[in-house]
Amino acid sequence: MLADLLEKKEKKVEYLELIYDLIFVYIIGRNNSLLHPTESGFVEWNGFFAYILCTLAVIQIWNYTTYYINIYGRNGVREHVFIFSNMFLLFFVAEGTRTHWDAFHTQYHIAWALILCNIAVQYLLELRSCPRGAVQRVHNRRQATVLFLQAALVLGAIAEYFFLKTSVLTVTAILGGIVLTMLLGKNKGEDTVDFPHLSERAMLYVVFTFGEMIIALAAYFEGDLSLSSLYFSSMGFLIVVGLFLSYGILYDHLIDRERKTNGLGYMLLHVFLIFSLNNITTALEFMRDEKVALLPKMLFLTLSLLLYYGMMLALSGSAKRGCRPSPSSFALMAGGGVLFFALMLLFRENMYVNIALTAVFVFAVFLLLFRFYKKAERTL
């Protein structure tokens, strides 16, 4: 057992995991496309609701898979079959992610449920190598139960949508999976999780989410080389750079990747951090879209940015001792967020000012984090 734990501490991200991530790069773009149809200057409500559900469902699938591989991944034959089977099913999920989601609802949910069952079966298969009465054996059974229960809710959502045209069970499946996983994880042993590997996997997901943002930003550089085009492309580029640098400070210098933790809270916060990045990507696309009214796209960008930084502040709870932001730093960032929101509302009719305010706010937060890191570094 001791030898297994030592081996887990040296775990590296496998080539297989990176191949698996590629399908999620594709699905990010599919999810973002759900927000493109507009009606009277506003994003269609049905599309926005489907976007939230699809985005959270896909991130949760990635989260479940990553957590299983972190504990039991051996890069063996069974793991390859497990990963590629889910990758195949995710193509059906991606194909079903369309603006006319109704026509693909059944396909989407069947593939989703099969993915959950696949992960649950992997946990049950690991029972053979767990001693009777071991904490990990109990956790495996509970985790498999959660996944099978969530899969049942997902399948039940097919009938619900067919007869009632509602999505209560779909929402329940997503939220129930989050809540039950967190509750069951409280009694889970910390030594079984390789947090350096888990944090690196979360970072890689953030990176390829930024990749989708860069693709969206490319549209800012299309067309003529007018001063207006150059201005917006420069501001858009600065926003993306500032967001990336802020996460870089957090991951590279603040997070304690050697800490003992079950990692559940860290991964849950990343679910919503990645969700906020997807929103920012779409908000940057809206900035150039004249069909979207000024107020909704300004609010969408502002609230997405505040969610992103809120998740980063929450993640600072995993920082090294002496590197956690002080209450005054929290107050300064919160005050800056309120001021940013107020100014964005004040200048909501002027996109030139709005995008400049966003760039200034993003770099102000980065400089605050950088200053705090340097100050903490001198005291360590």
Side-chain angles (χ1 to χ4, degrees), residues 10 13 39 48 55 64 96 174 211 231 239 250-251 292 337 342 354 364 376:
E10 300 174 358
V13 174
E39 183 178 352
F48 185 71
T55 302
Y64 283 145
I174 294 172
Y231 174 78
I239 290 168
L250 180 75
Y251 177 79
V292 182
N354 270 338

Side-chain angles (χ1 to χ4, degrees), residues 11 19 26 56 81 83 85 89 97-98 120 149 170 226 241 248 279 311-312 332 337 340 355 360 374 377:
K11 187 176 183 64
I19 293 296
Y26 169 55
L56 291 178
V81 173
I83 288 292
S85 296
L89 290 168
T97 307
R98 294 172 176 264
L149 177 60
T170 300
S226 64
V241 170
N279 292 346
M311 292 302 101
M312 285 193 61
L332 185 59
F340 169 64
I355 197 167
V360 169
K374 284 298 184 181
E377 187 181 45

